[in-house]
Every structure is written in structure tokens, then in C-alpha cells.
Amino acid sequence: MPKYAATTQSHLWPTPKPTTDRFLRKGDGARVKSGELFATRGGLGNSRTTGLESGTSVSIMAGSRSTPIAPPRANAFGKRDNPPDTQFRKFYERGDLPVAVMSASKNTINWKVDVDKLDYHHYLPIFFDGVREKEDPYRFLAVKGVEDMLRSGGAKILPVIPQLIIPIKTALNTRDPSVVCIVLQLLQKMVVSAELVGEALVPYYRQILPILNVFKNKNVNLGDGIDYAQRKRRNVGELVLETLQLFERYGGEDAFINIKYMVPTYESCVNL
């Protein structure tokens, strides 16, 4: 409540005088805020005395008035947003892609034109953008379309490499194991699909390898059990190691030092 001062003939709002228990030595403030310690006057309970700059002392009782707040989780392996707004879905629903599902077989697609006559600069980035789809038939058509184009592309693949980096990076950044496995398998096929493709990927390691560094040691420890994910090509850690080894073999003399810069735990496989 305000107090009336006769000298100034006005009301004054006094400021409360701070007590010594509000001034803790540096290092205890965070512990008090988290609830691990709290300040009390006197020496009651299980307490310790902390000296103050003014010479007085405050007893800090070990206890917790509230649950300590744990630091946030990094969640490095957590899935990120993967919105279904790919260019592949847009073009397929509009009927602009020369591809359709073949009803007679489950593992092949029906091309309306010859694959080797396609414009790779236009279609290959669109199909690569669709590999992060998780719904059929978009995912099936995109993955099989990329495989067919890599199998029949030859010299047409190398000039398109710069246009493929953004779709590949976007798919890897989802950190979805099912999507990451598909991208790694396609990267392995792309490296061996034509000459100089592995060397053309070296300048783009800064965009591709950070996610591979995260999942490099993502393996399941089953003890003496059998991990069938390796046979089914679903073990992310094994696929990352295989991909890095292919990058080193087909990337030329500068491949290893660039891989080592982005993935420090990687060891060379050439001299084994």
C-alpha cells in the first residue's frame, strides 16, 4: 500500500528491501531455478552454508520443491516433416508423366515411350523428387522410374547430376528410415550407372553426407540373433557404410579426404 509523506504531501510506493537470500553465489542460481536446491533462512534440515559477498550467509537446503527440468532431447534420429507436395505427385495427377502402373506385374511399370528417348534433364529430377513419397502408386512409380532411367540412361545421367542434389537432400532430410534406405539404394545404383558420376558427386558431399554421418552407426544390437533387415536392405547403418565405400571407390583421388571431412569416423576401404 502507498504511504503518505507529509514532507512532499504525496503518496509514495515503497520498494521492498531485498533480502540476502536473493543474492546467491554464482553457480547456485541455476540449481535453485531448476529446483535442485532452494534457499532457506537459518540452518534447519540437511543444509550447507554458502558465503555471500556481504559477509552474511544463507543456508541452502538440499531438496526439491518441484521436479527438476531435464534438458531437451536432441532427437537426431527423429522423423522430420515430409509434406506430400512433390513435383512427381503434381505431374502424375496432371497426366504429364509418360508412365503408368502395369496391372499384369507388380515389379514393373509401363512406359508410354522408350526410356532412352526421354529428356533426362526434365524427368529424372522429377522422379527423384518422388522417392520421398510414402503412398502408392506415387512411391512405386517414382522408385521404379528412377531405376529404369538409371539403367538405360548411360551418358545422359552425368549432365543431370547438379539438378538431382536438391531432391536427394530433401529426401534425406526427412530422416525417415524408410525414405533414407530408398535414397541410399538409388545413390548406389547411380554411382555405378555411368562413368564419372561418382566424381561428379564429390563437390556435393556437403549437401549429401551430413545425414549419412548421423545414421552411420544406426545399427540394431541383437546379440546372437539374426538381423533380417540386412538381407531386406532395411538396415540404415549398413546401407550408409556401403554407400560411402562406393563413393570412395568411384569418386576419384579426392573422394576419401572429402568423405573424411564430413564423416570423421569413416575409414578407407581401398587399402584393405
Side-chain angles (χ1 to χ4, degrees), residues 82-83 86-89 123-147 150 164-172 174 176-187:
N82 185 14
T86 61
Q87 291 290 324
F88 181 84
R89 180 187 288 250
Y123 287 108
L124 190 56
I126 294 176
F127 276 82
F128 254 104
D129 191 35
V131 299
R132 63 183 178 91
E133 287 280 355
K134 301 190 68 175
E135 298 180 6
D136 288 328
Y138 309 106
R139 181 177 185 175
F140 169 73
L141 290 172
V143 174
K144 288 299 180 181
V146 171
E147 291 178 350
L150 292 178
L164 304 179
I165 302 304
I166 292 180
I168 292 174
K169 180 182 177 181
T170 304
L172 291 175
T174 61
D176 189 337
S178 60
V179 176
V180 173
C181 290
I182 292 294
V183 177
L184 293 177
Q185 295 177 27
L186 295 178
L187 282 175

Side-chain angles (χ1 to χ4, degrees), residues 207-266:
Q207 286 76 29
I208 300 175
L209 298 189
I211 303 300
L212 273 63
N213 184 33
V214 173
F215 287 95
K216 181 178 181 295
N217 297 322
K218 188 72 167 55
N219 294 312
V220 180
N221 186 4
L222 299 179
D224 58 351
I226 301 176
D227 185 11
Y228 292 99
Q230 295 181 359
R231 178 176 61 86
K232 297 178 181 179
R233 309 288 290 171
R234 296 177 183 174
N235 190 313
V236 184
E238 293 291 334
L239 287 174
V240 168
L241 183 59
E242 294 175 4
T243 305
L244 292 177
Q245 291 177 351
L246 283 176
F247 281 177
E248 182 184 1
R249 292 194 184 102
Y250 291 87
E253 57 183 6
D254 296 332
F256 173 72
I257 188 172
N258 286 276
I259 295 175
K260 189 70 174 178
Y261 181 77
M262 300 303 300
V263 188
T265 58
Y266 177 75

